[in-house]
Amino acid sequence: MRGKAPPPQINYMIDPFGRHISYLRVSVTDRCDLRCVYCMAEDMTFLPKREVLSLEELERLCGAFIELGVRKIRLTGGEPLVRRDVMALVDALGRRIGPAEGAEGLEELTLTTNGTQLAKYAEGLVRAGVRRVNVSLDTLDAAGFRAATRFGDVEKVKAGIFAARDAGLHVKINAVALRGLNEHEFDAMLAWCGQHGFDLCLIETMPMGEVAEDRTDRYISLEVVRARLRLNWTLTESAYATGGPARYFDVAETGTRIGFITPLSHNFCESCNRVRLTCTGTLYMCLGQDDAADLRAPLRQGLRDEPLKAAIREAILRKPKGHDFVIERARPAAVARHMSVTGG
Ligand code: SAM
Ligand code: SF4
């Protein structure tokens, strides 16, 4: 007699709150060539290299997630483009875009970068199958940029952005709204982005990791920023969505869009579809909570992916309902690890 057929492989992940987990963000390194004041301490110590997964291990981990239903992967960091040979990982993941062997594959591979290395990598990214990149740029002003990043050169980032556009990448500019740093610049940034065909996305500063300054002093509610922008721009709520937490508005005067990511003034956790993997193989089910699952041990248990997939499934069942960010609790930080560890 034939044995019972095995149960069909379920290749999607649903968390306890019914959210379909289809988006993985991977911090490929905790290192960076800038030191943004709200992100890192000036004297950050980075992980010893021996603790960091190899690019092959990261690729295998991503492969397991894809087989479990992840359709979008964003590489981030730290600065993803400062990891040595990172293009080997980008190329390998790019080959997983589209259906393979009868199974659904990856739909999108993207990157969040500070742009300093984009001029060097833009064409390679396109060849690998990347179509969109998010570039972080908090101010267009050279002195302001140096103050925000401690030593960055804004012209290098702008050159990277234009190289990305010229290579055919769709560029979105991300800016963290910071009192005393860029709060009077959003009209100018929106105009600049409009002139060059870039969408702009503003982000509220989140209390993650100890940095030199008090984030409470820097925090601006984006509800207020949007109201101010409306004095000069016609903003119409847009149906556009990238699978991320931003709420988008069409800007009539530029034909581009502006998005607002408001974890503090408007919590968006109910539609969260993502989990975050660090370069040590730790999986965080929420950016704003400490619970995590170690995937490095099951990854290294052998060449079979089953223990790894079981560990991923178990972790998804622990995904919390939401974060507890409150700006009044910014000191000490609501979450001890820095954004560069989990990836923004
Ligand atoms: N280095 C890359 C970059 O800057 O785009 C990728 C990593 S960075 C951690 C990703 C994003 O997180 C950036 O847009 C950055 O501005 C944002 N970020 C970092 N720390 C933050 C914080 N405390 N609150 C809000 N956004 C933050
Ligand atoms: Fe580096 Fe990005 Fe953090 Fe700035 S925000 S210090 S560029 S990781």
Side-chain angles (χ1 to χ4, degrees), residues 188-200 233 253-256:
M189 288 186 78
L190 185 52
W192 184 83
C193 286
Q195 181 191 346
H196 298 292
F198 308 138
D199 290 341
L200 172 65
W233 307 90
E253 290 79 1
T254 61
T256 54

Side-chain angles (χ1 to χ4, degrees), residues 120-309:
K120 181 171 163 197
Y121 288 115
E123 290 187 354
L125 292 172
V126 173
R127 272 197 304 278
V130 176
R131 296 291 168 260
R132 300 192 300 149
V133 288
N134 289 354
V135 185
S136 304
L137 177 63
D138 299 327
T139 166
L140 298 168
D141 175 68
F145 189 78
R146 246 191 329 276
T149 60
R150 292 199 178 93
F151 43 72
D153 173 4
V154 77
E155 292 309 322
K156 194 172 174 192
V157 174
K158 286 184 192 166
I161 290 171
F162 293 131
R165 181 196 60 184
D166 295 345
L169 288 166
H170 183 271
V171 177
K172 187 179 80 178
I173 304 294
N174 279 343
V176 178
L178 298 161
R179 184 172 305 288
L181 215 146
N182 58 9
E183 65 184 313
H184 299 298
E185 232 194 301
F186 302 132
D187 287 296
M189 288 186 78
L190 185 52
W192 184 83
C193 286
Q195 181 191 346
H196 298 292
F198 308 138
D199 290 341
L200 172 65
C201 194
L202 302 180
I203 306 170
E204 285 175 347
T205 179
M206 296 174 230
M208 293 194 66
E210 284 302 307
V211 289
E213 50 183 44
D214 186 343
R215 286 196 187 83
T216 326
D217 295 341
R218 289 280 187 209
Y219 171 73
I220 320 174
S221 160
L222 291 183
E223 304 288 339
V224 175
V225 171
R226 188 163 56 232
R228 279 194 213 146
L229 283 169
R230 279 203 149 113
L231 299 175
N232 294 318
W233 307 90
T234 317
L235 307 184
T236 316
E237 186 141 16
S238 159
Y240 179 74
T242 58
R247 241 172 98 202
Y248 281 94
F249 292 76
D250 293 319
V251 186
E253 290 79 1
T254 61
T256 54
R257 282 178 286 253
I258 183 162
F260 299 87
I261 299 187
T262 54
L264 291 126
S265 64
H266 171 82
N267 188 321
F268 44 58
C269 302
E270 68 277 7
S271 59
C272 183
N273 60 352
R274 67 200 51 201
V275 287
R276 295 161 198 268
L277 184 65
T278 73
C279 60
T280 59
T282 305
L283 185 72
Y284 285 94
M285 286 69 84
C286 174
L287 181 65
Q289 299 281 0
D290 287 325
D291 187 29
D294 170 41
L295 299 182
R296 183 167 55 182
L299 174 76
R300 290 184 173 168
Q301 250 175 42
L303 284 177
R304 284 176 54 249
D305 277 347
E306 284 323 308
L308 176 60
K309 287 184 181 166

